[in-house]
């Protein structure tokens, strides 16, 4: 056996130590945002960390050390309130960055003594006074004094002497705002940090924080534009699926907007992007189902029904209830599953495959967000296959007092048409009268709202006023039915609803500043934040206004069409009644316009028969079948299918 | 039978919880469970557009009451109750009844022939038990609180359908009865007691119902020997019609 020379073993030990150090540093600096600017400093700090990591808890705030910086960064990378997945992501993320922390080889310049006496006296860390001031902010953040941390960081940012640490301070500010629940303000600050470019040290972490924020805000779309700005950069692996999905959503929304202004070519490009991006989302990714849903919609737009159906079926397969999913995941899956069923039904309905459509409408969860829509659309599908009784049954549910304020004007038209088809002219006319009584005022109100040329944000303002008015009058137990209907109508546009939610969220963030302590409330930071929020609100209001305007105008046109159709049916009904009366006169009064149908209330073994007598029982909703006891004289039964 | 409120449903459906969870896992939930678990439950009351509402209405209810399980006197009570319903589930009622006590079939006077030792029994005459036997109620009054948490409907052979409510009552009662007199015979006495009971109404139309009630009247009655008293529990079965005023109602 050969003996190893002493010098060689020493060298080996040194090498091993050298190799081990970065690994240690990596652990200590978990979560620390690696910097390209201060790499030289970091090397030294990492070594210190090993010695001081246990002591740091005992030290006062006046003596922050580097270990504190590291610890706080570790903590912030995994926000306490962020979802569990975020925590995982954050903890593992720094592993990628850690090598940067140990990259510098140059000896670190000896730090200058602190400028103040106080710091001179206690500075055992060898840090600059500037760094110590930053450490104060970090320490405050670590001690969950987020307001103070934000104020300190903001002060540092504005200090021209601290240019080198401005970004660090900015990062602390953005994180503090997040922890204070001021997600929009935090997003604003992170946007500014990201805007400094990918070469800056907080770029990658900033991107991660975008996702954290999107998980907290009511509308994840608020970060879409930010995401789109950095679409060419590599996102952290944990967020890649989410990133691609969000980017696809961004293109989807863009494509829809382009479609709305008839720019088909550009819209096609956007939708192609959607499809391409979705192909890159792996099947195992939690965002796969949502991505597939978008893909289905993109194919549906192209009228590629077969592929659209396949995508939607895939969504249904993936979102099958599964006990291994968390509550949040299960809830999201459930909602998506309902949407997929609706889309499957609509695609079939669009291709006149009515029974398939009815099958999928029937799959929509009872009482869920899509349920009433599904009942209404299913009523049309049933009408098409002459299942009038089922169709009218669905409309009974829609007429229940619980859903009185839901906006389904066409339901009454459908009801009138079915009565008309079954020679029940009196009922048809009475239904049309109901329709006019309810919806003519809505039409008039909509026309008043839309006929004047207004700035788009004014539209939002009108709806916002209605919203406030309804809220106040609801508290008094007295709501304006027409205004309520108009608001619900506008909110039935999902994009508008989300934008509205964002605006409300933003307003509550503005209000939250007023509720904070005087130090924060009257600070320059608060003023700046308020200004930022105001600007963001204006942008959102403008966007919401455009959506509201579009929605209200579309609905006005639709209501006009329905009113015209109503008049047509009325005219047809009157003509039929006249013809019948003439026939009756000719027959000497012996001719019957309607006759009693044969009907049975028998139900299958799995069902129970309860007559509907004007009372709505919750567990009966959605199960009604109307019994047409009389109808056209030439028919024997109500429905073509025999009921 | 379906019930509009939670209590019964919870009791009835308490057992299949385990089965439901596995069904849910399979994504297969029965229609009944859908109502119990589904999102409609969170935002919609069990019934709306009710065929009958009581809130803000007066209920006048003439009734006939029969006492049950009487040892000495069977009471036939003619009376009525006036109830006001400030809430759908809550009512305050004032009741009054005039009673006709007759000797109960259970009451027997038995004698033993000293010679033959044969035992013969016969029903006593009214005067024989007057003031001597307890439970000789003449007049009844009471102030009750009514709680009607259950509204439901029932199917009779899948042909006829009836709506009903179930209520519980409790309150104070004043009882005028014939107590023992030191001179023999009876003397009128008054006692304060309480009422607890259960009742149901079957709704015929928006203003008329059939009312059935079982009540336990509890009061302290003076009995022989003079100066002693005993706690009596008198079960009463009441049958009556109720008329609601105003005759129309609107769902708020």
């Amino acid at each position: 056996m050969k003996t190893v020379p002493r010098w060689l073993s020493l060298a080996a030990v040194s090498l091993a130590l050298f190799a081990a150090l970065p690994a240690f540093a990596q652990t200590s600096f978990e979560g620390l945002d690696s910097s390209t600017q201060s790499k030289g400093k970091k090397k030294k700090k990492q070594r210190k960390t090993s010695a001081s990591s246990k002591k740091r808890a005992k030290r006062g705030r006046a003596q922050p050390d580097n270990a504190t910086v590291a610890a706080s960064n570790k903590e912030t990378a995994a926000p306490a309130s962020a979802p569990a997945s975020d925590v995982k992501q954050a903890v593992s993320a720094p592993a990628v960055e850690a090598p940067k922390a140990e990259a510098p080889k140059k000896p670190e310049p000896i730090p200058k003594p602190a400028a103040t006496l106080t710091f001179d006296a206690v500075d055992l860390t060898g840090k600059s006074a500037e760094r110590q001031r930053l450490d104060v902010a970090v320490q405050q953040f670590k001690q969950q004094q987020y307001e103070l941390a934000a104020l300190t960081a903001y002060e540092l940012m504005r200090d021209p002497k601290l240019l080198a640490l401005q970004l660090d301070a900015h990062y602390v500010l953005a994180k503090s705002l997040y922890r204070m629940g001021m997600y929009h303000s935090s997003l604003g600050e992170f946007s500014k940090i990201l805007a400094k470019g990918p070469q800056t040290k907080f770029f990658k972490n900033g991107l991660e924080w975008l996702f954290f924020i999107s998980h907290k805000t009511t509308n994840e779309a608020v970060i879409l534009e930010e995401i789109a700005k950095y679409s060419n950069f590599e996102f952290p692996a944990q967020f890649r699926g989410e990133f691609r999905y969000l980017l696809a959503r961004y293109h989807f929304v863009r494509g829809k907007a382009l479609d709305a202004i008839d720019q088909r070519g550009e819209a096609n490009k956007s939708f192609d992007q959607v499809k391409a991006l979705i192909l890159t989302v792996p099947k195992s990714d939690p965002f796969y189902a949502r991505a597939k849903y978008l893909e289905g919609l993109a194919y549906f737009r192209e009228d590629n029904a077969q592929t659209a159906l396949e995508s939607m079926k895939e969504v249904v397969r993936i979102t099958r209830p599964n006990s291994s999913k968390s509550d949040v995941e299960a809830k999201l899956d459930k909602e998506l599953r309902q949407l997929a069923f609706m889309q499957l039904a609509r695609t079939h309905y669009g291709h006149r495959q009515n029974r398939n459509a009815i099958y999928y409408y029937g799959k929509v969860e009872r009482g869920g967000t899509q349920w009433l829509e599904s009942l209404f659309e299913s009523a049309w599908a049933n009408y098409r296959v002459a299942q009038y009784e089922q169709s009218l049954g669905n409309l009974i549910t829609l007429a229940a007092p619980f859903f009185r304020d839901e906006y389904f004007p066409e339901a009454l038209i459908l009801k009138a048409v079915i009565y008309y088809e079954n020679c029940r002219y009196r009922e048809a006319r009475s239904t049309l009268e109901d329709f006019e009584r309810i919806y003519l005022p809505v039409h008039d109100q909509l026309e008043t709202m839309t006929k004047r040329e207004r700035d788009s944000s004014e539209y939002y303002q009108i709806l916002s006023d209605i919203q406030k008015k309804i809220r106040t009058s609801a508290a008094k137990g007295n709501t304006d039915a027409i205004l309520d209907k108009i608001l619900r109508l506008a909110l039935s546009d999902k994009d508008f609803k989300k934008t509205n939610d964002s605006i409300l969220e933003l307003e509550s963030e503005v209000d939250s500043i007023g509720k904070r302590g005087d130090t924060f409330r009257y600070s320059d930071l608060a003023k700046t934040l308020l200004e930022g929020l105001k600007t963001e609100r204006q942008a959102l209001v403008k966007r919401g206004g455009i959506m509201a305007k579009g929605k209200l105008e579309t609905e006005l046109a639709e209501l006009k069409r329905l009113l015209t159709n109503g008049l047509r049916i009325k005219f047809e009904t009157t003509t039929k009644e006249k013809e019948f009366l003439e026939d009756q006169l000719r027959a000497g009064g012996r001719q019957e316009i309607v006759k009693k149908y044969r009907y049975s209330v028998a139900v299958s073994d799995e069902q129970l028969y309860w007559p509907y007598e004007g009372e709505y029982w919750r567990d009966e909703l959605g199960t009604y079948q109307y019994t047409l006891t009389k109808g056209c004289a030439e028919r024997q039964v109500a429905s073509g299918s025999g009921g | 039978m379906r019930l509009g409120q939670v209590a019964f449903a919870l009791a009835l459906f308490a057992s299949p919880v385990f089965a439901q969870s596995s069904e849910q896992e399979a994504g297969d939930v029965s229609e009944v469970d859908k109502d119990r678990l589904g999102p409609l439950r969170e935002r919609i009351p069990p019934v709306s557009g009710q065929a009958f509402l009581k809130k803000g209405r007066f209920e006048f209810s003439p009734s006939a009451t029969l006492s049950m399980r009487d040892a000495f006197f069977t009471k036939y009570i003619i009376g009525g109750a006036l109830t006001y319903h400030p809430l759908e589930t809550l009512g305050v009622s004032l009741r009054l009844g005039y009673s006709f006590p007759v000797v109960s079939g259970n009451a027997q006077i038995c004698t033993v022939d000293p010679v033959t030792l044969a035992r013969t029994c016969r029903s006593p005459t009214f005067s024989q038990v007057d003031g001597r036997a307890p439970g000789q109620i003449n007049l009844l009054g009471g102030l009750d609180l009514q709680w009607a948490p259950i509204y439901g409907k029932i199917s009779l052979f899948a042909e006829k359908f009836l709506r009903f409510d179930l209520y519980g009552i409790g309150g104070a009662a004043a009882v005028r009865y014939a107590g023992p007199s030191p001179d023999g015979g009876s003397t009128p006495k008054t006692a304060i007691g309480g009422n607890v009971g259960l009742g149901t109404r079957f709704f015929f139309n928006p203003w008329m119902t059939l009312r059935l009630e079982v009540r336990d009247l509890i009061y302290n009655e003076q009995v022989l020997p003079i100066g002693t008293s005993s706690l009596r529990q008198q079960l009463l079965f009441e049958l009556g019609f109720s008329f609601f005023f105003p005759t129309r109602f609107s769902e708020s």
Side-chain angles (χ1 to χ4, degrees):
Chain A
M1 195 176 170
K2 277 187 179 176
T3 50
V4 182
R6 194 178 183 81
W7 64 269
L8 197 60
S9 59
L10 271 173
V13 170
S14 309
L15 199 66
L17 279 173
F18 182 76
L21 273 174
F24 181 77
Q26 191 174 316
T27 324
S28 304
F29 277 75
E30 214 174 59
L32 178 63
D33 313 296
S34 57
S35 160
T36 46
Q37 297 162 345
S38 58
K39 279 176 187 172
K41 279 185 184 174
K42 276 192 177 174
K43 176 91 178 180
K44 193 175 173 188
K45 284 174 208 162
Q46 287 156 13
R47 287 197 191 114
K48 273 181 175 278
T49 308
S50 62
S52 59
S53 58
K54 283 185 183 169
K55 291 178 191 168
R56 66 193 173 209
K58 292 179 187 169
R59 288 188 183 174
R61 275 163 60 191
Q63 292 178 308
D65 58 16
N66 291 332
T68 315
V69 179
S72 65
N73 276 318
K74 181 158 81 178
E75 184 186 307
T76 53
S81 50
S85 57
D86 299 347
V87 177
K88 262 193 246 161
Q89 289 153 357
V91 169
S92 51
V96 185
E97 295 173 40
K100 286 185 192 169
E102 49 91 23
K105 299 280 184 280
K106 281 188 227 166
E108 191 188 343
I110 300 161
K112 289 176 187 172
T116 59
L117 279 173
T118 321
F119 280 98
D120 266 346
V122 293
D123 180 23
L124 305 171
T125 61
K127 285 187 289 179
S128 66
E130 289 81 10
R131 170 56 74 174
Q132 286 177 34
R133 284 177 67 192
L134 176 66
D135 287 349
V136 170
V138 171
Q139 186 71 8
Q140 285 166 340
F141 182 88
K142 194 190 158 197
Q143 290 172 352
Q144 301 184 358
Q145 296 172 328
Y146 302 121
E147 277 185 25
L148 279 178
L151 289 169
T152 313
Y154 185 68
E155 231 172 78
L156 293 175
M157 277 170 64
R158 293 197 310 167
D159 191 338
K161 283 186 255 167
L162 294 173
L163 266 180
L165 294 174
Q166 218 173 39
L167 196 60
D168 298 63
H170 204 164
Y171 188 59
V172 174
L173 170 66
K175 288 189 298 186
S176 303
L177 291 172
Y178 175 92
R179 285 292 181 88
M180 287 162 72
M182 300 178 64
Y183 302 118
H184 289 269
S185 303
S186 177
L187 176 64
E189 298 310 317
F190 277 115
S191 302
K192 287 175 200 162
I193 292 170
L194 289 169
K196 293 194 164 105
Q199 76 287 354
T200 53
K201 66 175 174 179
F202 296 116
F203 185 78
K204 271 196 170 178
N205 287 42
L207 288 178
E208 286 186 13
W209 278 91
L210 288 186
F211 291 102
F212 295 147
I213 291 168
S214 80
H215 298 162
K216 291 286 179 187
T217 50
T218 54
N219 181 10
E220 65 188 6
V222 291
I223 69 153
L224 285 186
E225 277 175 27
E226 283 300 316
I227 294 273
K229 270 188 219 166
Y230 306 105
S231 57
N232 293 330
F233 296 97
E234 189 65 2
F235 271 69
Q238 304 92 319
F239 297 107
R240 226 162 270 161
E242 183 172 1
F243 159 67
R244 285 168 186 158
Y245 160 71
L246 286 176
L247 195 57
R249 253 199 77 187
Y250 169 79
H251 285 293
F252 184 85
V253 173
R254 186 172 175 269
K256 261 176 69 181
L258 288 166
D259 265 345
I261 52 167
D262 263 348
Q263 292 197 11
R264 291 286 292 181
E266 280 301 304
N268 285 344
K269 279 184 203 165
S270 272
F271 283 107
D272 287 343
Q273 286 269 31
V274 172
K275 287 181 282 177
L277 278 163
I278 281 154
L279 286 176
T280 62
V281 179
K283 199 168 179 174
S284 55
D285 196 281
F287 286 83
Y288 180 69
R290 282 188 254 180
K292 271 300 206 194
Y293 179 73
L294 273 191
E295 185 189 62
L297 292 181
Y299 282 118
F300 181 74
R301 174 192 168 267
E302 285 174 9
D303 211 16
N304 186 347
Q306 201 52 48
T307 321
L309 285 175
E310 284 314 312
S311 299
M312 291 302 167
K313 282 179 187 168
E314 178 74 353
V315 175
V316 169
R317 274 192 290 273
I318 301 161
T319 53
R320 192 167 288 150
N322 182 342
S323 56
S324 67
K325 288 176 183 167
S326 71
D327 285 353
V328 179
E329 279 175 334
K331 193 173 171 233
L332 280 171
D333 274 4
K334 199 175 183 184
E335 278 170 23
L336 192 65
R337 191 175 170 82
Q338 308 310 313
L339 288 170
F341 279 134
M342 284 298 281
Q343 205 51 42
L344 281 166
R346 281 168 182 162
T347 310
H348 283 294
Y349 183 84
H351 288 79
R352 305 197 77 80
Q353 295 169 344
N354 299 307
R355 289 190 190 275
N356 284 350
I358 292 168
Y359 170 78
Y360 283 117
Y361 282 128
K363 288 276 174 193
V364 173
E365 189 202 21
R366 187 173 168 275
T369 47
Q370 298 298 313
W371 183 53
L372 290 184
E373 291 263 358
S374 78
L375 278 179
F376 169 66
E377 292 177 21
S378 162
W380 270 113
N382 277 295
Y383 165 76
R384 276 184 175 180
V385 292
Q387 290 183 354
Y388 301 129
E389 299 193 324
Q390 184 58 59
S391 187
L392 286 172
N394 287 6
L395 299 182
I396 289 178
T397 302
L398 290 179
F402 320 113
F403 312 126
R404 198 175 285 148
D405 298 326
E406 299 291 338
Y407 190 77
F408 289 103
E410 213 175 341
L412 286 173
I413 295 289
L414 175 59
K415 193 173 168 186
V417 170
I418 294 173
Y419 279 130
Y420 171 80
E421 293 270 348
N422 285 278
C423 307
R424 303 273 290 266
Y425 302 124
R426 204 177 48 191
E427 285 94 337
R429 214 178 33 245
S430 133
T431 308
L432 289 170
E433 279 162 12
D434 282 348
F435 173 73
E436 283 174 2
R437 183 176 49 78
I438 299 167
Y439 291 106
L440 207 52
V442 178
H443 166 270
D444 295 346
Q445 188 79 35
L446 273 177
E447 202 161 52
T448 317
M449 275 181 182
T450 52
K451 78 177 173 195
R452 230 186 74 199
E453 215 31 67
R454 295 174 204 265
D455 179 52
S456 56
S457 49
E458 254 187 274
Y459 275 93
Y460 180 80
Q461 205 46 53
I462 292 171
L463 289 173
S464 169
D465 291 344
I466 294 178
Q467 211 162 191
K468 279 172 196 155
K469 202 172 166 184
I470 287 172
R471 221 175 291 151
T472 327
S473 42
K476 291 176 193 164
N478 168 35
T479 54
D480 186 327
I482 299 170
L483 291 182
D484 200 28
K485 277 204 164 58
I486 286 172
L487 182 69
R488 279 171 184 275
L489 188 152
L491 291 176
S492 67
D493 183 305
K494 286 182 183 64
D495 290 333
F496 174 72
K497 188 179 179 306
K498 281 188 167 183
T499 308
N500 183 52
D501 288 346
S502 280
I503 294 169
L504 294 177
E505 190 177 59
L506 218 122
E507 283 171 356
S508 79
E509 195 168 315
V510 170
D511 293 345
S512 78
I513 293 179
K515 288 172 194 157
R516 294 195 178 273
D518 287 355
T519 329
F520 189 88
R521 198 179 355 160
Y522 300 115
S523 65
D524 286 344
L525 170 62
K527 278 179 208 156
T528 315
L529 292 177
L530 281 172
E531 263 171 40
L533 289 172
K534 202 173 145 191
T535 315
E536 198 189 335
R537 187 184 175 277
Q538 274 169 350
L540 279 174
V541 162
K542 197 170 177 189
R543 194 185 301 167
I546 293 169
M547 290 174 187
K549 187 182 178 199
K551 177 72 180 167
L552 294 183
E553 281 175 352
T554 313
E555 288 302 330
L556 176 63
E558 182 62 14
L559 212 46
K560 274 188 198 298
R561 186 183 67 80
L562 290 178
L563 284 163
T564 314
N565 286 349
L567 279 177
R568 271 194 205 125
I569 302 164
K570 229 177 185 176
F571 175 75
E572 290 289 331
T573 308
T574 315
T575 312
K576 284 276 183 191
E577 276 183 310
K578 184 174 153 269
E579 281 171 12
F580 161 71
L581 284 172
E582 282 169 356
D583 288 349
Q584 206 175 33
L585 274 176
R586 272 195 293 275
R590 287 189 302 275
Q591 193 171 332
E592 289 291 331
I593 189 168
V594 290
K595 76 166 191 184
K596 286 192 174 170
Y597 282 155
R598 285 200 312 269
Y599 70 90
S600 161
V601 293
V603 291
S604 75
D605 290 344
E606 289 170 0
Q607 293 171 316
L608 281 175
Y609 168 68
W610 292 97
Y612 167 75
E613 288 165 337
E615 213 170 50
Y616 288 91
W617 288 73
R618 186 176 59 207
D619 55 348
E620 289 173 0
L621 292 172
T623 65
Y624 295 116
Q625 278 210 348
Y626 191 93
T627 308
L628 277 166
T629 53
K630 55 188 178 177
C632 297
E634 66 269 21
R635 275 186 224 157
Q636 293 300 310
V637 288
S639 299
S641 62
Chain B
M1 184 172 75
R2 297 180 353 175
L3 304 171
Q5 296 289 335
V6 190
F8 271 27
L10 280 180
L12 289 172
F13 296 109
S15 51
V17 167
F18 181 74
Q20 270 160 22
S21 67
S22 38
E23 269 182 346
Q24 257 181 296
E25 274 178 31
D28 183 19
V29 182
S30 74
E31 285 301 319
V32 175
D33 299 337
K34 269 182 190 170
D35 183 55
R36 207 165 80 81
L37 304 165
L40 276 184
R41 189 176 185 85
E42 290 156 22
R43 58 192 176 112
I44 285 178
V47 196
S48 74
Q50 258 168 267
F52 199 98
L53 286 174
K54 302 187 291 281
K55 187 183 171 186
R57 298 172 84 190
F58 284 97
E59 174 188 7
F60 173 62
S61 178
S63 62
T65 308
L66 179 72
S67 61
M68 293 154 72
R69 296 167 59 84
D70 270 311
F72 302 102
F73 295 100
T74 300
K75 273 78 72 180
Y76 296 97
I77 304 167
I78 300 295
L82 183 68
T83 309
Y84 176 68
H85 298 271
L87 297 172
E88 196 50 40
T89 52
L90 209 68
V92 185
S93 68
L94 188 69
R95 68 172 72 239
L96 207 66
Y98 186 80
S99 167
F100 300 96
V102 294
V103 178
S104 159
N106 295 336
Q108 298 281 299
I109 292 179
C110 297
T111 50
V112 180
D113 191 313
V115 182
T116 61
L117 294 179
R119 191 167 178 267
T120 52
C121 293
R122 63 174 175 82
S123 286
T125 60
F126 189 84
S127 58
Q128 281 177 307
V129 286
D130 182 30
R132 299 182 67 195
Q136 196 180 338
I137 294 172
N138 294 317
L139 213 58
L140 269 176
L143 186 67
D144 298 322
L145 205 62
Q146 229 181 70
W147 183 51
I150 294 168
Y151 176 81
K153 58 181 177 178
I154 188 167
S155 163
L156 304 173
F157 309 109
E159 289 290 331
K160 292 282 171 206
F161 302 90
L162 282 177
R163 279 164 187 75
F164 67 91
D165 73 355
L166 284 177
Y167 62 87
I169 54 159
V175 184
R176 184 90 170 149
Y177 64 96
S181 163
D183 313 326
S186 65
T187 180
K189 295 200 182 289
T190 305
I192 299 295
N195 263 321
V196 283
L198 286 171
T200 180
R201 292 184 193 86
F202 290 95
F203 303 111
F204 296 142
N205 59 34
W207 53 269
M208 189 180 173
T209 74
L210 173 74
R211 191 166 62 84
L212 303 172
E213 198 173 289
V214 177
R215 223 166 55 234
D216 188 13
L217 174 68
I218 306 159
Y219 67 102
N220 207 28
E221 184 175 338
Q222 289 193 7
V223 290
L224 284 174
I226 301 282
T228 56
S229 63
S230 77
L231 189 72
R232 280 192 61 79
Q233 292 206 41
Q234 181 68 66
L235 276 181
L236 299 168
F237 172 75
E238 191 169 316
L239 177 75
F241 289 95
S242 285
F243 302 94
F244 279 77
F245 302 98
T247 52
R248 289 180 183 191
F249 60 86
S250 60
E251 197 170 10
S252 54

